[in-house]
Structures are given as C-alpha cells and as structure tokens.
C-alpha cells in the first residue's frame, strides 16, 4: 500500500537554528499539507500546497516557515530560526489522486524538539 | 468557515460494549467528513469517510459512522469495543472545492479507553 514517508523521525535542534523536515508524498497525489501536533493534542493546519504553490496557510505559518517541492517528489518544510514553541510533532500529508474527494494520507511524523 | 467539534475529551467503555465517539461540524457547502485514529507515537491513520450517498458509512476495523445532516453530526460507532481500539480519535472536515479551500480541519480529538 502506498504511504507518505517522513524523515527524520526525530530532530533535536538548538533555538535559533534552521531545520528542514522532509516528506515524500504518495506519487500520484496532487495536494500536499503540513500539520503539527503539540504533545498529542490538537492537529493544527499549517499549509497546503497545490500546483507548485501555496494554496492556503494558517496564522501559525509565518515568515519563519517555508515549503518547497524541489524535485517533484520531495516536499519540505523549513523553519528558519526555531523557537522553543516550535517543538511539536510535524505531519506531512497528501491527497487527491483522482479528485478532491479523497482522504488525506499522513506520514508517521517528525518529532521536533527545540532546546 | 469550517469547524469541527468533538465534545468529549475522553470516552470510557467496557470491552464488548458498543462505543460512540461524537463529532459535529460546520461548513459552508457540502461537507466531506473523515475519521482518523492515532495510536501512541504514531501518525494519523484513516478510518472512514463520508462524501455522498448512504448516511451510514463503514470503515476499517469494524468502525462505522452515521452522517446526520439536520444535526450536522458524524458520530463514530462500533457495535463491540476491543481493548485494542484504545487510541486517540480525530474527526475532520473538508469543505467542497467550490469554497476555495483544500484544507482538512481536525477536531480536538477524543481519547477512547476500552476497559477489559
């Protein structure tokens, strides 16, 4: 069964450092997402990406965040200068192979710890 | 704007008993509704969805959900709970594409504990 894969599974970084979280969505999907979850609680939308551009972003997704799909397969989330409150589980998701009615498939997540 | 509410932080049920996890939603157009399950230290796993058609949808692991348009609800159910069903359950909604948004909005999650 196809799946979304994320690397690394766990990233520890110092405050102020840049991190890049990587994702390989399901190959024929058209819509891509980043979500985050703090301490097993609410799953918060960060950004959606379609047709090689951001289609929507939340207020959490400020200038410190950026996304990229550099080579048609990988989908990355960059945090330029991490803050302690960026510590969370970050999930990548993809959807929409045939149409927009499909469910989103989630990766296993990257646990980001900012110290 | 889309929103989802899961009114119960936790639901406890005895093994073998039926379970219900509640969800209500708000969207501007026709809703696409989903249930996901999250086991400890794992990602979100898709259980089932309602797009159109029969109000009762069946999904993985014996779960089902009933779409009720008048009550704007999409409660998750299972006739006989298993201890292994213990996990965090998320309801999610996505508005139709005519709304101009593609994102899935999640509820706050309900922790299900099935007691042996």
């Amino acid at each position: 069964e196809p799946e979304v894969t994320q690397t690394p599974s766990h990233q520890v970084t110092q405050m102020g450092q840049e991190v890049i979280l990587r994702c390989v969505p399901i190959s024929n999907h058209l819509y891509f997402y980043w979500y985050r979850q703090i301490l097993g609680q609410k799953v918060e939308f960060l950004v959606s990406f379609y047709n090689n551009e951001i289609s929507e972003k939340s207020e959490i997704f400020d200038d410190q965040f950026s996304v990229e799909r550099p080579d048609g397969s990988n989908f990355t989330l960059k945090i330029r200068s991490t803050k302690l409150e960026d510590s969370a589980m970050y999930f990548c998701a993809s959807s929409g192979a045939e149409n927009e009615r499909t469910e989103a498939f989630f990766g296993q997540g990257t646990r980001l710890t900012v110290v | 704007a889309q929103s989802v509410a899961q009114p119960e932080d936790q639901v406890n049920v005895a093994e073998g008993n039926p379970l219900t996890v509640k969800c209500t939603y708000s969207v501007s157009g026709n809703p696409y509704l989903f249930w996901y399950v999250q086991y400890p230290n794992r990602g979100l796993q898709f259980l089932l969805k309602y797009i159109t058609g029969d109000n009762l949808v069946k999904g993985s692991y014996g779960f089902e959900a009933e779409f009720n348009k008048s009550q704007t609800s999409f409660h998750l159910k299972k006739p006989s709970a298993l201890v292994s069903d213990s996990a965090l359950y998320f309801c999610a909604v996505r508005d139709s594409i005519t709304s101009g948004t593609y994102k899935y909005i999640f509820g706050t999650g309900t922790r299900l504990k099935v007691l042996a």
Side-chain angles (χ1 to χ4, degrees):
Chain A
E1 186 175 315
E3 59 180 13
V4 176
T5 56
Q6 290 185 244
T7 55
S9 56
H10 192 185
Q11 172 100 41
V12 180
T13 188
Q14 289 201 323
M15 192 168 54
Q17 295 296 305
E18 175 184 285
V19 294
I20 297 176
L21 310 184
R22 302 181 192 279
C23 169
V24 180
I26 294 172
S27 61
N28 59 349
H29 280 184
L30 303 174
Y31 304 90
F32 312 104
Y33 310 85
W34 283 100
Y35 285 80
R36 79 175 185 188
Q37 185 184 35
I38 296 175
L39 286 178
Q41 295 181 14
K42 187 172 182 177
V43 178
E44 299 176 298
F45 169 76
L46 291 178
V47 66
S48 60
F49 194 85
Y50 172 70
N51 202 25
N52 287 319
E53 61 183 18
I54 291 174
S55 52
E56 198 165 5
K57 58 184 180 179
S58 72
E59 61 276 6
I60 302 169
F61 194 88
D62 61 22
D63 291 344
Q64 293 300 313
F65 291 86
S66 62
V67 290
E68 204 174 38
R69 195 153 187 255
D71 56 12
S73 60
N74 293 286
F75 180 51
T76 61
L77 173 70
K78 182 192 290 186
I79 309 175
R80 287 191 187 81
S81 178
T82 49
K83 303 188 277 280
L84 293 175
E85 54 264 37
D86 293 328
S87 295
M89 182 74 95
Y90 287 80
F91 291 108
C92 172
S94 67
S95 73
E98 316 89 44
N99 55 54
E100 48 105 14
R101 295 182 167 191
T102 56
E103 62 273 23
F105 290 80
F106 284 77
Q108 294 299 303
T110 294
R111 182 172 297 282
L112 176 65
T113 303
V114 182
V115 297
Chain B
Q2 305 159 258
S3 67
V4 177
Q6 292 181 245
E8 303 152 317
D9 290 336
Q10 182 160 316
V11 169
N12 295 329
V13 64
E15 188 174 32
N17 282 4
L19 69 86
T20 298
V21 182
K22 295 179 180 177
C23 171
T24 58
Y25 67 89
S26 173
V27 296
S28 56
N30 292 319
Y32 299 155
L33 295 157
F34 308 85
W35 275 101
Y36 286 82
V37 60
Q38 185 179 35
Y39 297 100
N41 300 313
R42 301 294 299 275
L44 296 162
Q45 187 175 338
F46 169 75
L47 274 180
L48 51 79
K49 65 182 176 185
Y50 171 83
I51 303 297
T52 186
D54 288 340
N55 290 341
L56 185 66
V57 293
K58 295 188 183 296
S60 308
Y61 313 120
F63 283 93
E64 58 190 30
E66 187 169 10
F67 171 66
N68 187 316
K69 189 172 183 178
S70 62
Q71 297 185 3
T72 61
S73 67
F74 189 57
H75 300 332
L76 181 70
K77 301 182 180 188
K78 188 173 182 181
S80 178
L82 299 172
V83 172
S84 56
D85 293 329
S86 298
L88 189 54
Y89 290 80
F90 289 97
C91 181
V93 66
R94 179 181 171 175
D95 211 336
S96 63
I97 198 169
T98 54
S99 71
T101 182
Y102 303 89
K103 66 186 178 190
Y104 300 76
I105 296 297
F106 286 81
T108 50
T110 298
R111 191 165 299 281
L112 174 67
K113 276 196 172 180
V114 181
L115 307 167

